[in-house]
Amino acid sequence: MGVTWGPGFHAAPGQPVDSSAYDQYIGRWSRLFVPALLTAAKISEGDRVLDVATGTGVAAQMALRQVGNTGLVVGVDISPAMLQMACSRLSSRQFLPVVSDAQTLVFPNASFDAVLCQLGLMFLSDPARGLAEFRRVLRTNRHAAVCVISSPDRAPMWGILAEALGRHLPDQRRELQRSFSLADVAQLEALLVAAGFREVRVTRETRESTVESFDEYWAPIETGPGQMPQAYRALPESGRRAVRKEVQACMSQFELNGRLTMSVEMLIGVGRA
Ligand SMILES: C[S@@+](CC[C@H](N)C(=O)[O-])C[C@H]1O[C@@H](n2cnc3c(N)ncnc32)[C@H](O)[C@@H]1O
């Protein structure tokens, strides 16, 4: 059985993005790492910042606060539906949405003071090409910072689901592991160096959060955007029931009094142009 992915894998083709479901499924975890990403990118007031794969604007929202009234945040995404949601969520005149593939950015050389890419790089078909573009549009001596998800066992809120879906959709297994494809520190360092960045550093960061119940964890998978939820919904009902059961059994290791407390590891990579 196949899934027809929309551009960028996250928004289902022809459907609007439910931003609160996105937030429950990814945004709430992504947000925990954005302060570290912004610190790595050394963003200051008045900066012109590019947020690549901005999605619903999780990183752009925090960047807007840092650049203040004199700065600008340009949010790029390949998915018009994701960008539309970013615009309605952020509603700031200093947020400029641009539909573009991260691997062929539509901006002149050296046009930004910082480039961010929060949970986007691993979805590019050619991450090296994307990083070379980040380097090209960045002013000399300024920083690009990327954040990618670690391995499935260190990101259980997605890792357990990806494993279960892969058992039921073996022909989609590789695509379903895409979220974890840049989980290696040395690999990410080498990619940044090859793109021409100097003073490259990759660190592992861990954060923890609690979801009130398994049902709350599961709700956005039934209805919301995201690569794995779309794959799940393409299964026949018996397959969906089986996946839910397998994931719930595995998630019980994180359960205390009905609540799920999970930690998640991500890699933050930074380089100077
Ligand atoms: C997991 S979301 C991350 C969104 C946001 N940065 C966050 O942290 O919540 C990944 C985003 O990458 C975008 N994306 C995937 N491939 C892309 C590409 N080639 N160029 C630009 N954006 C892309 C998707 O449309 C999606 O919005």
Side-chain angles (χ1 to χ4, degrees):
M1 170 169 310
V3 186
T4 311
W5 308 110
F9 298 103
H10 282 73
Q15 301 223 339
V17 168
D18 175 342
S19 79
S20 93
Y22 176 84
D23 206 63
Q24 256 182 286
Y25 176 59
I26 296 179
R28 57 170 296 153
W29 301 103
S30 176
R31 193 170 292 113
L32 301 174
F33 294 85
V34 175
L37 185 84
L38 299 183
T39 301
K42 297 195 185 339
I43 294 173
S44 317
E45 201 165 332
D47 275 354
R48 183 187 283 241
V49 174
L50 176 65
D51 181 30
V52 182
T54 196
T56 61
V58 169
Q61 187 168 30
M62 291 197 205
L64 277 165
R65 281 184 221 133
Q66 290 212 351
V67 300
N69 293 334
T70 54
L72 179 75
V73 176
V74 176
V76 154
D77 205 284
I78 201 169
S79 161
M82 295 295 279
L83 266 184
Q84 204 169 355
M85 199 39 72
C87 289
S88 53
R89 255 175 31 81
L90 303 185
S91 71
S92 162
R93 288 214 311 236
Q94 283 153 281
F95 177 70
L96 188 69
V98 176
V99 178
S100 170
D101 187 330
Q103 297 155 122
T104 48
L105 290 171
V106 292
F107 311 105
N109 295 351
S111 41
F112 292 97
D113 300 305
V115 177
L116 308 173
C117 186
Q118 172 73 10
L119 306 192
L121 196 61
M122 56 281 196
F123 295 106
L124 308 188
S125 55
D126 187 350
R129 187 159 163 217
L131 285 170
E133 280 293 86
F134 301 179
R135 167 74 186 77
R136 181 183 68 74
V137 301
L138 194 54
R139 288 174 49 208
T140 307
N141 283 326
R142 302 306 301 259
H143 294 82
V146 301
C147 179
V148 298
I149 300 171
S150 187
S151 48
D153 55 320
R154 295 178 186 195
M157 61 292 301
W158 306 301
I160 290 172
L161 179 59
E163 294 293 337
L165 286 169
R167 286 191 289 273
H168 291 261
L169 291 164
D171 54 329
Q172 300 278 331
R173 206 182 141 69
R174 210 171 146 213
E175 280 305 349
L176 292 165
Q177 290 291 321
R178 197 176 255 273
S179 299
F180 318 103
S181 58
L182 294 177
D184 183 80
V185 169
Q187 179 196 13
L188 186 55
E189 268 169 8
L191 279 168
L192 283 157
V193 169
F197 287 104
R198 299 172 291 138
E199 298 168 26
V200 167
R201 208 175 60 250
V202 177
T203 51
R204 292 181 186 277
E205 304 260 345
T206 305
R207 304 284 183 274
E208 188 182 276
S209 184
T210 298
V211 183
E212 285 309 308
S213 64
F214 180 79
D215 288 347
E216 186 180 307
Y217 161 75
W218 196 257
I221 294 162
E222 291 285 351
T223 59
Q227 190 196 20
M228 292 177 222
Q230 289 178 73
Y232 166 75
R233 292 198 296 272
L235 286 168
E237 203 199 325
S238 57
R240 293 200 301 275
R241 261 204 313 272
V243 167
R244 189 185 194 280
K245 208 168 150 192
E246 287 167 35
V247 173
Q248 185 162 22
C250 218
M251 283 279 172
S252 63
Q253 64 187 297
F254 304 112
E255 194 178 323
L256 186 65
N257 300 328
R259 303 166 90 208
L260 299 173
T261 298
M262 287 177 273
S263 65
V264 52
E265 184 181 272
M266 297 199 189
L267 279 58
I268 296 193
V270 62
R272 189 197 280 259

